[in-house]
Amino acid sequence: MNFGPLPSVDAAAVPSEGFVLDVREDDEWAAGHVEGALHIPMSDFVARFGELTQAHEDGARIHVMCRVGGRSAQVTQYLLNQGIDAVNIDGGMLAWEGAGRPMVADGGNPAFVL
């Protein structure tokens, strides 16, 4: 078990080709998200863990995202305990939006953080 400080990264420092896992709920995702991110709500995460391992076959670092960083911190800790290279995105989607990083929304609507 890892009890050290949780590894984290600023939203502005996430590589544009980085693997992003969004653990927010469906309504939050629909309002605005990182294009190409994998969406598995934290409430379904353990049940849907296999989707992550399938999508993440190359072993690249996983950048975990929620709205402000609380839920993603819990998921990051879980992934680290599974031996997976994961970091929490500090400040979540609010920091992502604040850093001017690109976002998309479902249905072609203007993206925003719910």
Side-chain angles (χ1 to χ4, degrees), residues 19-56:
F19 188 106
V20 175
L21 170 66
D22 191 320
V23 298
R24 297 173 304 146
E25 295 303 314
D26 291 338
D27 57 337
E28 295 174 285
W29 168 267
H33 56 268
V34 177
E35 190 167 13
L38 176 64
H39 177 228
I40 303 177
M42 183 174 150
S43 56
D44 298 337
F45 189 74
V46 174
R48 293 175 58 189
F49 183 67
E51 291 176 42
L52 174 62
T53 56
Q54 278 187 328
H56 182 254

Side-chain angles (χ1 to χ4, degrees), residues 12-20 34-35 63 96 101-102:
V14 175
S16 57
E17 70 286 349
F19 188 106
V20 175
V34 177
E35 190 167 13
H63 301 83
W96 186 273
R101 300 296 300 264

Side-chain angles (χ1 to χ4, degrees), residues 71-91:
R71 289 170 286 180
S72 54
Q74 294 177 56
V75 172
T76 299
Q77 187 63 65
Y78 177 84
L79 293 173
L80 291 169
N81 290 342
Q82 309 304 311
I84 295 171
D85 181 14
V87 294
N88 189 31
I89 298 177
D90 261 347

